[in-house]
Amino acid sequence: MRFASLGSGSAGNALLVERGSTCLMLDCGFGLRETATRLQRLERSPGCITGILVTHEHGDHVGGVFRFARKYAVPVWLTHGTWVATGESHVGLDLRIIDSHHALSIGELEVQPFPVPHDAHEPVQYVFSGAIRRLGVLTDAGEVTPHIREMLSACDGLVLECNHDARMLAQSIYPASLKRRIASRYGHLENSVAAELLGSIDCSRLQHLVAAHLSERNNLPELVTAAIAGVLGCAEAWIGVARSDTGFGWRCLN
């Protein structure tokens, strides 16, 4: 199993998870042409995509999903709340409603959704499994719940939101209402909260850790890697950081 990112941040998000002939895209916040360009960078084309999984209805995650699905005739898996919130019709789409607690099999991958606290209608994140390897993904969550800890423990790979630094957010030019939303329990994970999560779960199998969904205005990669390295006791250079423009390249779970 391997994974890569087309981009991660407020401008758009998309992650690829691949095993054998199955290649799933998690979210798609880019237009058709931009998505194709970013896929090409990863030596993939739209025709390689088996289907799309959606986390929630915010535009940076779902903005390109339905146009892509229509054009390339791929199924889309999403919660009922997310579907209702998008207002998207079934016409021309293969939409498959999922339960946020029930696993599903898609080709050569097992996919386990799990609910997260975020300011959306029925948001989920996912754990992908192939053979004995597990990839956990957590972005767009305002706080860490016991269930999140359970889901992400003993993963071989993690893509983990490190959205903002508390001090930078407090000192930013954002309106007070936006600062409260970001820092709330339905907002986004702060660096130290993400680090605390890692310190509270089993990371003994971790081969890859990539920090994702960094705020371009309220965070810095060096703040993220310092916070995480201090908890894991690893070199800062070992920690990957997803970029908004290029995401990150393929990483294999062996």
Side-chain angles (χ1 to χ4, degrees), residues 152-155 158 197-199 201-207 232:
L152 299 184
S153 191
C155 282
L158 278 176
L197 166 61
L198 292 169
I201 63 175
D202 178 5
C203 292
S204 62
R205 292 171 46 174
L206 207 54
Q207 299 178 28
L232 293 183

Side-chain angles (χ1 to χ4, degrees), residues 41-53:
R41 177 179 57 80
L42 296 170
E43 300 182 335
R44 287 294 174 268
S45 67
C48 296
I49 303 302
T50 306
I52 306 175
L53 291 155

Side-chain angles (χ1 to χ4, degrees), residues 163-172 179 182-183 188-193 218-219 223:
N163 177 258
H164 62 281
D165 171 77
R167 180 174 297 180
M168 288 185 68
L169 178 63
Q171 296 175 350
S172 76
K179 291 180 184 180
I182 293 170
H188 293 273
L189 289 186
E190 197 266 344
N191 293 343
S192 65
V193 177
N218 300 310
N219 212 350
L223 294 177

Side-chain angles (χ1 to χ4, degrees), residues 6 9 18 23 42 103 119 136 147 184 192-193 206 212 246 250:
L6 279 66
E18 184 177 88
C23 185
L42 296 170
D119 58 349
H147 187 54
S184 76
S192 65
V193 177
L206 207 54
T246 58
W250 289 106

Side-chain angles (χ1 to χ4, degrees), residues 58-230:
H58 292 165
D60 57 327
H61 292 265
V62 80
V65 167
F66 302 112
R67 282 173 290 170
F68 187 98
R70 277 198 181 93
K71 183 173 179 63
Y72 298 105
V74 296
V76 177
W77 287 266
L78 72 175
T79 65
H80 183 265
T82 298
W83 170 62
V84 171
T86 63
E88 193 69 28
S89 75
H90 283 285
V91 177
L93 288 171
D94 180 1
L95 297 184
R96 306 184 184 187
I97 304 301
I98 64 172
D99 184 299
S100 60
H101 293 280
H102 289 174
L104 55 149
S105 295
I106 306 174
E108 297 177 65
L109 287 166
E110 295 293 319
V111 183
Q112 176 65 67
F114 59 96
V116 296
H118 190 53
D119 58 349
H121 284 77
E122 195 181 355
V124 291
Q125 296 292 313
Y126 296 90
V127 173
F128 299 86
S129 302
I132 60 172
R133 301 303 176 195
R134 299 175 71 241
L135 169 67
V137 181
L138 176 66
T139 67
D140 298 79
E143 68 176 7
V144 177
T145 66
H147 187 54
I148 288 174
R149 290 190 176 91
E150 179 183 355
M151 293 301 304
L152 299 184
S153 191
C155 282
D156 301 279
L158 278 176
V159 177
L160 178 62
E161 177 175 56
C162 296
N163 177 258
H164 62 281
D165 171 77
R167 180 174 297 180
M168 288 185 68
L169 178 63
Q171 296 175 350
S172 76
I173 61 171
Y174 282 6
S177 58
L178 180 56
K179 291 180 184 180
R180 286 194 299 270
R181 172 184 170 271
I182 293 170
S184 76
R185 66 184 301 264
Y186 295 105
H188 293 273
L189 289 186
E190 197 266 344
N191 293 343
S192 65
V193 177
E196 288 169 5
L197 166 61
L198 292 169
S200 68
I201 63 175
D202 178 5
C203 292
S204 62
R205 292 171 46 174
L206 207 54
Q207 299 178 28
H208 294 283
L209 171 65
V210 182
H213 218 302
L214 275 68
S215 168
E216 294 184 8
R217 295 187 178 183
N218 300 310
N219 212 350
L220 295 169
E222 53 265 34
L223 294 177
V224 172
T225 56
I228 293 175

Side-chain angles (χ1 to χ4, degrees), residues 13-63:
N13 297 270
L15 182 78
L16 298 184
V17 184
E18 184 177 88
R19 182 172 184 247
S21 61
T22 302
C23 185
L24 298 178
M25 184 154 58
L26 176 58
D27 289 336
C28 183
F30 307 106
L32 287 172
R33 184 177 298 178
E34 182 66 16
T35 300
T37 298
R38 292 179 182 236
L39 283 170
Q40 187 176 32
R41 177 179 57 80
L42 296 170
E43 300 182 335
R44 287 294 174 268
S45 67
C48 296
I49 303 302
T50 306
I52 306 175
L53 291 155
V54 178
T55 59
H56 64 293
E57 71 270 17
H58 292 165
D60 57 327
H61 292 265
V62 80

